[in-house]
Amino acid sequence: MIIVLLGPPGAGKGTQAKVLAQKLGLPHISTGDLLRQNVAKGTDLGTQAKDFMNKGLLVPDELVTRMLDERFGLADAKNGFILDGYPRNINQAEVLDSLLEKRNTSVSMVVYLDTSEKVVIQRLSGRLVCRLCGANFHLINMPPRVKMICDECGGELYQRTDDKEETIRKRLQVYLEETSGLIKYYGDKRNLHRLSADGDKDIVLQEILTLAKEYNDNPKV
Ligand code: AMP
Protein backbone atom coordinates (compact mmCIF):
# COMPACT_ATOMS: atom_id res chain seq x y z
CA MET A 1 0.00 0.00 0.00
CA ILE A 2 1.28 3.45 -0.92
CA ILE A 3 -0.12 6.30 1.17
CA VAL A 4 0.62 9.91 0.30
CA LEU A 5 0.22 12.45 3.11
CA LEU A 6 -0.58 15.94 1.89
CA GLY A 7 -0.90 19.13 3.85
CA PRO A 8 0.88 22.35 4.76
CA PRO A 9 4.10 22.33 6.75
CA GLY A 10 3.09 21.71 10.37
CA ALA A 11 0.02 19.64 9.48
CA GLY A 12 1.55 16.68 11.30
CA LYS A 13 2.54 14.65 8.22
CA GLY A 14 5.85 13.53 9.75
CA THR A 15 4.32 12.76 13.15
CA GLN A 16 1.52 10.69 11.60
CA ALA A 17 3.81 8.99 9.09
CA LYS A 18 6.16 7.73 11.81
CA VAL A 19 3.37 6.03 13.76
CA LEU A 20 1.60 4.77 10.65
CA ALA A 21 4.84 3.26 9.43
CA GLN A 22 5.15 1.26 12.66
CA LYS A 23 1.49 0.22 12.72
CA LEU A 24 1.33 -0.76 9.06
CA GLY A 25 4.84 -2.21 8.81
CA LEU A 26 5.79 0.10 5.94
CA PRO A 27 8.74 2.48 5.66
CA HIS A 28 8.25 6.21 6.19
CA ILE A 29 9.76 8.08 3.27
CA SER A 30 10.13 11.80 3.90
CA THR A 31 11.84 13.87 1.22
CA GLY A 32 12.55 16.56 3.85
CA ASP A 33 14.31 14.00 6.10
CA LEU A 34 16.26 12.55 3.14
CA LEU A 35 17.37 16.03 2.10
CA ARG A 36 18.36 16.97 5.66
CA GLN A 37 20.42 13.76 5.89
CA ASN A 38 22.20 14.76 2.69
CA VAL A 39 22.87 18.25 4.06
CA ALA A 40 24.21 16.78 7.33
CA LYS A 41 26.52 14.40 5.44
CA GLY A 42 27.68 17.15 3.08
CA THR A 43 26.86 15.16 -0.09
CA ASP A 44 26.69 16.88 -3.50
CA LEU A 45 22.92 16.76 -3.31
CA GLY A 46 22.97 18.25 0.21
CA THR A 47 25.23 21.08 -0.91
CA GLN A 48 22.93 21.88 -3.83
CA ALA A 49 19.77 21.63 -1.72
CA LYS A 50 20.85 23.55 1.38
CA ASP A 51 20.25 27.14 0.24
CA PHE A 52 16.80 26.36 -1.12
CA MET A 53 15.85 24.68 2.16
CA ASN A 54 17.14 27.50 4.34
CA LYS A 55 15.10 29.99 2.32
CA GLY A 56 11.94 27.89 2.59
CA LEU A 57 11.93 27.25 -1.18
CA LEU A 58 11.45 23.95 -2.98
CA VAL A 59 14.59 22.08 -4.00
CA PRO A 60 14.60 21.66 -7.82
CA ASP A 61 12.43 18.75 -8.92
CA GLU A 62 15.17 16.84 -10.77
CA LEU A 63 17.34 16.61 -7.61
CA VAL A 64 14.47 15.30 -5.56
CA THR A 65 13.36 12.85 -8.28
CA ARG A 66 16.74 11.14 -8.42
CA MET A 67 16.91 10.84 -4.65
CA LEU A 68 13.40 9.43 -4.46
CA ASP A 69 13.88 6.94 -7.28
CA GLU A 70 16.88 5.51 -5.41
CA ARG A 71 14.89 5.33 -2.18
CA PHE A 72 11.98 3.52 -3.87
CA GLY A 73 14.48 0.95 -5.14
CA LEU A 74 15.52 -0.17 -1.63
CA ALA A 75 14.23 -3.57 -0.51
CA ASP A 76 12.08 -2.26 2.36
CA ALA A 77 9.93 -0.24 -0.07
CA LYS A 78 8.79 -3.17 -2.19
CA ASN A 79 5.44 -3.63 -0.39
CA GLY A 80 4.68 0.07 -0.22
CA PHE A 81 5.47 3.08 1.95
CA ILE A 82 4.12 6.20 3.60
CA LEU A 83 5.19 9.22 1.58
CA ASP A 84 5.56 12.50 3.46
CA GLY A 85 6.51 15.79 1.80
CA TYR A 86 6.26 14.52 -1.77
CA PRO A 87 4.72 15.41 -4.16
CA ARG A 88 4.78 19.18 -3.64
CA ASN A 89 3.65 20.34 -7.07
CA ILE A 90 1.80 18.92 -10.08
CA ASN A 91 5.04 18.05 -11.88
CA GLN A 92 6.17 15.96 -8.90
CA ALA A 93 2.77 14.23 -8.79
CA GLU A 94 3.19 13.26 -12.44
CA VAL A 95 6.78 12.13 -11.81
CA LEU A 96 5.54 10.06 -8.89
CA ASP A 97 2.97 8.34 -11.10
CA SER A 98 5.64 7.46 -13.65
CA LEU A 99 8.18 6.27 -11.04
CA LEU A 100 5.50 3.99 -9.62
CA GLU A 101 4.25 2.85 -13.00
CA LYS A 102 7.77 1.73 -13.87
CA ARG A 103 7.55 -0.46 -10.72
CA ASN A 104 4.06 -1.70 -11.67
CA THR A 105 2.36 0.01 -8.80
CA SER A 106 0.44 3.21 -8.03
CA VAL A 107 -0.70 5.49 -5.20
CA SER A 108 -3.28 3.65 -3.08
CA MET A 109 -4.65 6.67 -1.29
CA VAL A 110 -3.94 10.31 -0.54
CA VAL A 111 -4.73 11.75 2.87
CA TYR A 112 -4.99 15.52 3.03
CA LEU A 113 -4.38 16.86 6.54
CA ASP A 114 -6.37 20.07 6.47
CA THR A 115 -4.80 22.53 8.95
CA SER A 116 -5.38 26.23 9.64
CA GLU A 117 -2.58 28.77 9.26
CA LYS A 118 -2.83 29.77 12.93
CA VAL A 119 -2.25 26.18 14.09
CA VAL A 120 0.57 25.65 11.59
CA ILE A 121 2.52 28.69 12.79
CA GLN A 122 1.96 27.82 16.44
CA ARG A 123 3.12 24.21 15.90
CA LEU A 124 6.19 25.00 13.79
CA SER A 125 7.49 27.87 15.87
CA GLY A 126 7.68 25.59 18.94
CA ARG A 127 8.71 22.37 17.19
CA LEU A 128 11.64 20.36 18.54
CA VAL A 129 13.09 17.43 16.59
CA CYS A 130 15.35 14.62 17.81
CA ARG A 131 18.70 14.49 16.02
CA LEU A 132 18.86 10.71 16.40
CA CYS A 133 15.39 9.27 15.81
CA GLY A 134 13.52 12.23 14.29
CA ALA A 135 10.76 12.19 16.94
CA ASN A 136 8.88 15.51 17.23
CA PHE A 137 8.14 17.44 20.41
CA HIS A 138 6.82 20.95 21.12
CA LEU A 139 8.10 23.55 23.54
CA ILE A 140 4.59 24.12 24.94
CA ASN A 141 2.13 21.51 23.60
CA MET A 142 4.34 18.45 24.00
CA PRO A 143 7.50 19.25 25.96
CA PRO A 144 10.00 16.42 26.48
CA ARG A 145 10.32 15.03 30.04
CA VAL A 146 13.91 16.29 30.24
CA LYS A 147 14.71 19.66 28.64
CA MET A 148 16.00 19.24 25.04
CA ILE A 149 16.35 15.43 25.40
CA CYS A 150 14.25 12.96 23.40
CA ASP A 151 11.83 10.86 25.48
CA GLU A 152 12.07 8.02 22.94
CA CYS A 153 15.81 7.54 22.51
CA GLY A 154 17.69 10.04 24.70
CA GLY A 155 18.97 11.94 21.63
CA GLU A 156 19.49 15.69 21.58
CA LEU A 157 16.54 17.85 20.48
CA TYR A 158 16.99 20.84 18.18
CA GLN A 159 14.92 23.46 16.35
CA ARG A 160 15.07 23.19 12.57
CA THR A 161 16.77 26.16 10.93
CA ASP A 162 13.73 26.60 8.64
CA ASP A 163 11.33 26.72 11.61
CA LYS A 164 11.89 30.44 12.25
CA GLU A 165 8.92 32.71 11.66
CA GLU A 166 10.14 34.37 8.45
CA THR A 167 10.96 31.02 6.80
CA ILE A 168 7.73 29.45 8.05
CA ARG A 169 5.79 32.23 6.27
CA LYS A 170 7.76 31.61 3.07
CA ARG A 171 7.13 27.85 3.28
CA LEU A 172 3.42 28.51 3.73
CA GLN A 173 3.41 30.80 0.71
CA VAL A 174 5.18 28.13 -1.36
CA TYR A 175 2.63 25.60 -0.12
CA LEU A 176 -0.28 27.80 -1.21
CA GLU A 177 1.26 28.60 -4.58
CA GLU A 178 2.63 25.19 -5.52
CA THR A 179 1.34 22.38 -3.33
CA SER A 180 -2.29 23.16 -2.60
CA GLY A 181 -3.16 22.55 -6.29
CA LEU A 182 -2.55 18.86 -5.60
CA ILE A 183 -5.78 18.70 -3.64
CA LYS A 184 -7.67 19.20 -6.87
CA TYR A 185 -5.27 16.94 -8.81
CA TYR A 186 -5.88 14.00 -6.47
CA GLY A 187 -9.51 14.96 -5.87
CA ASP A 188 -10.08 14.56 -9.60
CA LYS A 189 -8.47 11.13 -9.50
CA ARG A 190 -10.92 10.25 -6.68
CA ASN A 191 -8.46 8.81 -4.16
CA LEU A 192 -8.23 11.85 -1.88
CA HIS A 193 -9.44 11.80 1.73
CA ARG A 194 -9.67 15.10 3.57
CA LEU A 195 -9.24 15.04 7.35
CA SER A 196 -9.27 17.97 9.76
CA ALA A 197 -5.84 18.01 11.42
CA ASP A 198 -6.10 21.03 13.71
CA GLY A 199 -7.02 18.86 16.67
CA ASP A 200 -5.72 15.83 18.57
CA LYS A 201 -3.10 13.83 16.67
CA ASP A 202 -4.37 10.50 18.07
CA ILE A 203 -7.82 11.10 16.59
CA VAL A 204 -6.27 11.92 13.20
CA LEU A 205 -4.18 8.74 13.44
CA GLN A 206 -7.26 6.60 14.12
CA GLU A 207 -9.02 8.16 11.13
CA ILE A 208 -6.10 7.35 8.84
CA LEU A 209 -5.87 3.79 10.18
CA THR A 210 -9.59 3.33 9.48
CA LEU A 211 -9.07 4.52 5.89
CA ALA A 212 -6.09 2.17 5.50
CA LYS A 213 -8.14 -0.75 6.79
CA GLU A 214 -11.01 0.07 4.43
CA TYR A 215 -8.51 0.16 1.57
CA ASN A 216 -6.94 -3.16 2.59
CA ASP A 217 -10.37 -4.77 2.86
CA ASN A 218 -11.32 -3.49 -0.56
CA PRO A 219 -8.26 -2.43 -2.57
CA LYS A 220 -8.97 -0.24 -5.58
CA VAL A 221 -6.68 -0.90 -8.49
P1 AMP B 1 9.80 19.23 5.12
O1 AMP B 1 10.66 18.47 6.07
O2 AMP B 1 8.86 18.34 4.35
O3 AMP B 1 9.09 20.39 5.76
O4 AMP B 1 10.79 19.86 4.02
C1 AMP B 1 11.79 20.77 4.38
C2 AMP B 1 12.35 21.44 3.13
O5 AMP B 1 12.94 20.45 2.28
C3 AMP B 1 11.32 22.13 2.25
O6 AMP B 1 11.02 23.44 2.69
C4 AMP B 1 12.03 22.11 0.90
O7 AMP B 1 13.06 23.09 0.86
C5 AMP B 1 12.70 20.74 0.92
N1 AMP B 1 11.81 19.69 0.35
C6 AMP B 1 11.24 18.67 1.02
N2 AMP B 1 10.52 17.93 0.19
C7 AMP B 1 10.61 18.50 -1.04
C8 AMP B 1 10.05 18.21 -2.31
N3 AMP B 1 9.21 17.18 -2.50
N4 AMP B 1 10.40 19.02 -3.34
C9 AMP B 1 11.23 20.06 -3.19
N5 AMP B 1 11.77 20.41 -2.01
C10 AMP B 1 11.47 19.63 -0.93
Side-chain angles (χ1 to χ4, degrees):
M1 176 162 48
I2 296 173
I3 302 180
V4 169
L5 296 181
L6 272 190
K13 301 185 297 295
T15 303
Q16 297 296 347
K18 279 187 190 66
V19 189
L20 282 173
Q22 278 174 7
K23 300 235 178 232
L24 301 175
L26 296 171
H28 165 205
I29 300 184
S30 151
T31 44
D33 285 351
L34 291 171
L35 288 165
R36 278 184 292 279
Q37 284 161 17
N38 276 278
V39 172
K41 285 188 200 145
T43 64
D44 272 358
L45 169 61
T47 311
Q48 292 178 74
K50 191 174 174 178
D51 275 355
F52 293 100
M53 295 172 77
N54 285 340
K55 288 184 187 144
L57 300 173
L58 294 187
V59 173
D61 287 352
E62 59 279 12
L63 296 178
V64 184
T65 303
R66 218 176 321 136
M67 175 183 83
L68 205 59
D69 196 20
E70 280 173 23
R71 182 63 188 86
F72 288 168
L74 298 186
D76 67 342
K78 76 174 187 314
N79 293 326
F81 38 83
I82 320 285
L83 199 49
D84 150 23
Y86 193 97
R88 264 178 150 97
N89 56 34
I90 304 284
N91 179 53
Q92 292 188 0
E94 288 169 355
V95 167
L96 176 63
D97 286 343
S98 62
L99 290 179
L100 296 181
E101 202 179 310
K102 149 176 129 175
R103 296 182 156 84
N104 289 320
T105 182
S106 61
V107 171
S108 316
M109 65 177 186
V110 181
V111 179
Y112 166 42
L113 301 178
D114 192 0
T115 319
S116 67
E117 182 170 327
K118 187 169 148 239
V119 169
V120 161
I121 292 178
Q122 196 266 344
R123 280 187 191 156
L124 293 183
S125 51
R127 174 161 71 177
L128 300 170
V129 185
C130 175
R131 273 193 206 287
L132 287 184
C133 72
N136 277 228
F137 296 84
H138 190 277
L139 283 168
I140 295 156
N141 301 348
M142 211 196 354
R145 285 194 292 270
V146 180
K147 200 174 165 193
M148 297 310 270
I149 299 291
C150 177
D151 289 358
E152 316 278 329
C153 76
E156 183 199 2
L157 302 182
Y158 74 108
Q159 277 196 288
R160 277 172 44 174
T161 46
D162 59 351
D163 277 349
K164 50 179 186 297
E165 181 149 355
E166 188 196 331
T167 319
I168 292 172
R169 292 208 180 273
K170 184 70 204 170
R171 286 160 63 206
L172 279 175
Q173 186 193 337
V174 169
Y175 172 78
L176 287 175
E177 286 172 6
E178 304 207 34
T179 313
S180 59
L182 290 173
I183 296 160
K184 182 168 185 325
Y185 178 89
Y186 284 115
D188 289 347
K189 293 185 153 198
R190 293 170 188 278
N191 55 356
L192 179 89
H193 303 272
R194 180 189 289 251
L195 302 181
S196 168
D198 269 356
D200 190 307
K201 64 178 177 11
D202 295 332
I203 295 176
V204 178
L205 174 68
Q206 286 314 318
E207 289 174 343
I208 306 176
L209 286 171
T210 303
L211 290 171
K213 183 172 182 315
E214 279 168 13
Y215 178 86
N216 268 335
D217 291 346
N218 183 17
K220 297 178 192 68
V221 271

mmCIF file of all heavy atoms in Angstrom, residues 85-110:
data_model
loop_
_atom_site.group_PDB
_atom_site.id
_atom_site.type_symbol
_atom_site.label_atom_id
_atom_site.label_comp_id
_atom_site.label_asym_id
_atom_site.label_seq_id
_atom_site.Cartn_x
_atom_site.Cartn_y
_atom_site.Cartn_z
ATOM 1 N N GLY A 85 5.763 14.649 2.360
ATOM 2 C CA GLY A 85 6.510 15.786 1.800
ATOM 3 C C GLY A 85 6.733 15.682 0.299
ATOM 4 O O GLY A 85 7.425 16.510 -0.282
ATOM 5 N N TYR A 86 6.177 14.696 -0.321
ATOM 6 C CA TYR A 86 6.263 14.520 -1.769
ATOM 7 C C TYR A 86 4.955 13.881 -2.227
ATOM 8 O O TYR A 86 4.525 12.933 -1.573
ATOM 9 C CB TYR A 86 7.437 13.594 -2.135
ATOM 10 C CG TYR A 86 7.763 13.616 -3.617
ATOM 11 C CD1 TYR A 86 8.776 14.418 -4.118
ATOM 12 C CD2 TYR A 86 7.035 12.832 -4.503
ATOM 13 C CE1 TYR A 86 9.053 14.449 -5.476
ATOM 14 C CE2 TYR A 86 7.309 12.868 -5.864
ATOM 15 C CZ TYR A 86 8.321 13.669 -6.336
ATOM 16 O OH TYR A 86 8.595 13.709 -7.680
ATOM 17 N N PRO A 87 4.323 14.311 -3.295
ATOM 18 C CA PRO A 87 4.724 15.408 -4.163
ATOM 19 C C PRO A 87 4.379 16.771 -3.552
ATOM 20 O O PRO A 87 3.538 16.880 -2.673
ATOM 21 C CB PRO A 87 3.886 15.157 -5.416
ATOM 22 C CG PRO A 87 2.663 14.454 -4.921
ATOM 23 C CD PRO A 87 3.100 13.630 -3.753
ATOM 24 N N ARG A 88 5.028 17.815 -4.116
ATOM 25 C CA ARG A 88 4.785 19.177 -3.644
ATOM 26 C C ARG A 88 4.343 20.091 -4.773
ATOM 27 O O ARG A 88 4.135 21.279 -4.539
ATOM 28 C CB ARG A 88 6.046 19.732 -3.000
ATOM 29 C CG ARG A 88 6.039 19.566 -1.472
ATOM 30 C CD ARG A 88 7.320 20.082 -0.960
ATOM 31 N NE ARG A 88 7.342 20.640 0.335
ATOM 32 C CZ ARG A 88 7.706 19.995 1.443
ATOM 33 N NH1 ARG A 88 7.951 18.722 1.418
ATOM 34 N NH2 ARG A 88 7.808 20.633 2.577
ATOM 35 N N ASN A 89 4.233 19.576 -5.958
ATOM 36 C CA ASN A 89 3.646 20.336 -7.073
ATOM 37 C C ASN A 89 3.139 19.314 -8.098
ATOM 38 O O ASN A 89 3.387 18.108 -7.954
ATOM 39 C CB ASN A 89 4.655 21.341 -7.681
ATOM 40 C CG ASN A 89 5.932 20.653 -8.143
ATOM 41 O OD1 ASN A 89 5.882 19.508 -8.599
ATOM 42 N ND2 ASN A 89 7.068 21.329 -8.033
ATOM 43 N N ILE A 90 2.429 19.835 -9.107
ATOM 44 C CA ILE A 90 1.800 18.917 -10.076
ATOM 45 C C ILE A 90 2.868 18.115 -10.826
ATOM 46 O O ILE A 90 2.704 16.912 -11.054
ATOM 47 C CB ILE A 90 0.922 19.704 -11.089
ATOM 48 C CG1 ILE A 90 -0.124 20.542 -10.355
ATOM 49 C CG2 ILE A 90 0.296 18.771 -12.122
ATOM 50 C CD1 ILE A 90 -1.292 19.809 -9.797
ATOM 51 N N ASN A 91 3.982 18.778 -11.174
ATOM 52 C CA ASN A 91 5.040 18.049 -11.882
ATOM 53 C C ASN A 91 5.505 16.846 -11.052
ATOM 54 O O ASN A 91 5.655 15.732 -11.568
ATOM 55 C CB ASN A 91 6.209 18.988 -12.197
ATOM 56 C CG ASN A 91 7.324 18.245 -12.911
ATOM 57 O OD1 ASN A 91 7.091 17.593 -13.929
ATOM 58 N ND2 ASN A 91 8.534 18.286 -12.361
ATOM 59 N N GLN A 92 5.714 17.068 -9.757
ATOM 60 C CA GLN A 92 6.167 15.959 -8.902
ATOM 61 C C GLN A 92 5.098 14.859 -8.817
ATOM 62 O O GLN A 92 5.429 13.675 -8.737
ATOM 63 C CB GLN A 92 6.506 16.465 -7.498
ATOM 64 C CG GLN A 92 7.740 17.360 -7.456
ATOM 65 C CD GLN A 92 8.182 17.711 -6.049
ATOM 66 O OE1 GLN A 92 7.587 17.291 -5.057
ATOM 67 N NE2 GLN A 92 9.247 18.495 -5.952
ATOM 68 N N ALA A 93 3.831 15.248 -8.844
ATOM 69 C CA ALA A 93 2.770 14.230 -8.791
ATOM 70 C C ALA A 93 2.824 13.367 -10.050
ATOM 71 O O ALA A 93 2.645 12.141 -9.996
ATOM 72 C CB ALA A 93 1.407 14.908 -8.661
ATOM 73 N N GLU A 94 3.099 14.017 -11.179
ATOM 74 C CA GLU A 94 3.190 13.256 -12.440
ATOM 75 C C GLU A 94 4.436 12.373 -12.433
ATOM 76 O O GLU A 94 4.395 11.218 -12.868
ATOM 77 C CB GLU A 94 3.187 14.219 -13.628
ATOM 78 C CG GLU A 94 1.800 14.830 -13.813
ATOM 79 C CD GLU A 94 1.741 16.001 -14.801
ATOM 80 O OE1 GLU A 94 2.809 16.425 -15.307
ATOM 81 O OE2 GLU A 94 0.632 16.501 -15.034
ATOM 82 N N VAL A 95 5.547 12.928 -11.917
ATOM 83 C CA VAL A 95 6.779 12.133 -11.814
ATOM 84 C C VAL A 95 6.521 10.916 -10.915
ATOM 85 O O VAL A 95 6.915 9.794 -11.225
ATOM 86 C CB VAL A 95 7.940 12.987 -11.246
ATOM 87 C CG1 VAL A 95 9.118 12.118 -10.848
ATOM 88 C CG2 VAL A 95 8.384 14.038 -12.258
ATOM 89 N N LEU A 96 5.833 11.167 -9.809
ATOM 90 C CA LEU A 96 5.539 10.059 -8.887
ATOM 91 C C LEU A 96 4.770 8.956 -9.610
ATOM 92 O O LEU A 96 5.126 7.779 -9.520
ATOM 93 C CB LEU A 96 4.734 10.571 -7.683
ATOM 94 C CG LEU A 96 4.284 9.509 -6.686
ATOM 95 C CD1 LEU A 96 5.487 8.824 -6.032
ATOM 96 C CD2 LEU A 96 3.398 10.120 -5.600
ATOM 97 N N ASP A 97 3.737 9.351 -10.364
ATOM 98 C CA ASP A 97 2.967 8.341 -11.098
ATOM 99 C C ASP A 97 3.877 7.536 -12.018
ATOM 100 O O ASP A 97 3.760 6.313 -12.095
ATOM 101 C CB ASP A 97 1.853 9.017 -11.928
ATOM 102 C CG ASP A 97 0.709 9.500 -11.039
ATOM 103 O OD1 ASP A 97 0.615 9.040 -9.888
ATOM 104 O OD2 ASP A 97 -0.076 10.352 -11.501
ATOM 105 N N SER A 98 4.812 8.222 -12.691
ATOM 106 C CA SER A 98 5.642 7.462 -13.647
ATOM 107 C C SER A 98 6.694 6.614 -12.919
ATOM 108 O O SER A 98 6.984 5.499 -13.360
ATOM 109 C CB SER A 98 6.240 8.357 -14.730
ATOM 110 O OG SER A 98 7.070 9.299 -14.152
ATOM 111 N N LEU A 99 7.225 7.105 -11.788
ATOM 112 C CA LEU A 99 8.179 6.268 -11.037
ATOM 113 C C LEU A 99 7.480 5.001 -10.532
ATOM 114 O O LEU A 99 8.071 3.920 -10.503
ATOM 115 C CB LEU A 99 8.743 7.034 -9.828
ATOM 116 C CG LEU A 99 9.706 8.191 -10.097
ATOM 117 C CD1 LEU A 99 10.143 8.843 -8.781
ATOM 118 C CD2 LEU A 99 10.925 7.719 -10.865
ATOM 119 N N LEU A 100 6.225 5.152 -10.155
ATOM 120 C CA LEU A 100 5.499 3.991 -9.619
ATOM 121 C C LEU A 100 5.075 3.055 -10.747
ATOM 122 O O LEU A 100 5.142 1.825 -10.603
ATOM 123 C CB LEU A 100 4.284 4.454 -8.802
ATOM 124 C CG LEU A 100 4.629 5.263 -7.538
ATOM 125 C CD1 LEU A 100 3.368 5.667 -6.788
ATOM 126 C CD2 LEU A 100 5.555 4.472 -6.604
ATOM 127 N N GLU A 101 4.675 3.660 -11.855
ATOM 128 C CA GLU A 101 4.246 2.847 -12.996
ATOM 129 C C GLU A 101 5.382 1.923 -13.456
ATOM 130 O O GLU A 101 5.175 0.742 -13.730
ATOM 131 C CB GLU A 101 3.836 3.782 -14.137
ATOM 132 C CG GLU A 101 2.906 3.134 -15.134
ATOM 133 C CD GLU A 101 2.523 4.137 -16.211
ATOM 134 O OE1 GLU A 101 2.110 5.268 -15.868
ATOM 135 O OE2 GLU A 101 2.690 3.787 -17.393
ATOM 136 N N LYS A 102 6.603 2.513 -13.457
ATOM 137 C CA LYS A 102 7.770 1.727 -13.866
ATOM 138 C C LYS A 102 7.979 0.540 -12.906
ATOM 139 O O LYS A 102 8.572 -0.469 -13.272
ATOM 140 C CB LYS A 102 8.935 2.723 -13.884
ATOM 141 C CG LYS A 102 10.302 2.292 -13.583
ATOM 142 C CD LYS A 102 11.258 3.476 -13.785
ATOM 143 C CE LYS A 102 12.125 3.630 -12.537
ATOM 144 N NZ LYS A 102 13.146 4.621 -12.610
ATOM 145 N N ARG A 103 7.449 0.645 -11.685
ATOM 146 C CA ARG A 103 7.553 -0.462 -10.725
ATOM 147 C C ARG A 103 6.224 -1.223 -10.624
ATOM 148 O O ARG A 103 5.988 -1.953 -9.640
ATOM 149 C CB ARG A 103 7.933 0.083 -9.342
ATOM 150 C CG ARG A 103 9.306 0.718 -9.323
ATOM 151 C CD ARG A 103 9.723 1.218 -7.952
ATOM 152 N NE ARG A 103 11.159 1.285 -7.856
ATOM 153 C CZ ARG A 103 11.912 2.298 -8.271
ATOM 154 N NH1 ARG A 103 11.328 3.357 -8.799
ATOM 155 N NH2 ARG A 103 13.216 2.259 -8.178
ATOM 156 N N ASN A 104 5.359 -1.025 -11.613
ATOM 157 C CA ASN A 104 4.055 -1.701 -11.674
ATOM 158 C C ASN A 104 3.185 -1.479 -10.448
ATOM 159 O O ASN A 104 2.531 -2.398 -9.957
ATOM 160 C CB ASN A 104 4.226 -3.224 -11.860
ATOM 161 C CG ASN A 104 4.725 -3.522 -13.235
ATOM 162 O OD1 ASN A 104 4.282 -2.887 -14.197
ATOM 163 N ND2 ASN A 104 5.686 -4.425 -13.328
ATOM 164 N N THR A 105 3.210 -0.281 -9.943
ATOM 165 C CA THR A 105 2.356 0.008 -8.800
ATOM 166 C C THR A 105 1.803 1.426 -8.926
ATOM 167 O O THR A 105 2.060 2.101 -9.946
ATOM 168 C CB THR A 105 3.150 -0.216 -7.480
ATOM 169 O OG1 THR A 105 2.284 0.016 -6.388
ATOM 170 C CG2 THR A 105 4.357 0.691 -7.357
ATOM 171 N N SER A 106 1.014 1.858 -7.961
ATOM 172 C CA SER A 106 0.441 3.210 -8.027
ATOM 173 C C SER A 106 0.057 3.659 -6.617
ATOM 174 O O SER A 106 0.054 2.855 -5.681
ATOM 175 C CB SER A 106 -0.794 3.209 -8.945
ATOM 176 O OG SER A 106 -1.750 2.343 -8.416
ATOM 177 N N VAL A 107 -0.288 4.938 -6.499
ATOM 178 C CA VAL A 107 -0.700 5.490 -5.203
ATOM 179 C C VAL A 107 -2.016 4.823 -4.781
ATOM 180 O O VAL A 107 -2.963 4.765 -5.552
ATOM 181 C CB VAL A 107 -0.903 7.018 -5.319
ATOM 182 C CG1 VAL A 107 -1.528 7.580 -4.058
ATOM 183 C CG2 VAL A 107 0.415 7.711 -5.627
ATOM 184 N N SER A 108 -2.057 4.298 -3.557
ATOM 185 C CA SER A 108 -3.283 3.650 -3.076
ATOM 186 C C SER A 108 -4.263 4.694 -2.567
ATOM 187 O O SER A 108 -5.448 4.652 -2.883
ATOM 188 C CB SER A 108 -2.979 2.688 -1.921
ATOM 189 O OG SER A 108 -1.853 1.912 -2.200
ATOM 190 N N MET A 109 -3.764 5.606 -1.740
ATOM 191 C CA MET A 109 -4.650 6.673 -1.287
ATOM 192 C C MET A 109 -3.862 7.896 -0.833
ATOM 193 O O MET A 109 -2.698 7.796 -0.462
ATOM 194 C CB MET A 109 -5.563 6.192 -0.170
ATOM 195 C CG MET A 109 -4.851 5.812 1.071
ATOM 196 S SD MET A 109 -6.139 5.372 2.235
ATOM 197 C CE MET A 109 -5.188 5.124 3.654
ATOM 198 N N VAL A 110 -4.552 9.030 -0.923
ATOM 199 C CA VAL A 110 -3.945 10.307 -0.543
ATOM 200 C C VAL A 110 -4.752 10.843 0.631
ATOM 201 O O VAL A 110 -5.980 10.887 0.574
ATOM 202 C CB VAL A 110 -4.008 11.306 -1.719
ATOM 203 C CG1 VAL A 110 -3.361 12.633 -1.334
ATOM 204 C CG2 VAL A 110 -3.349 10.724 -2.948
#
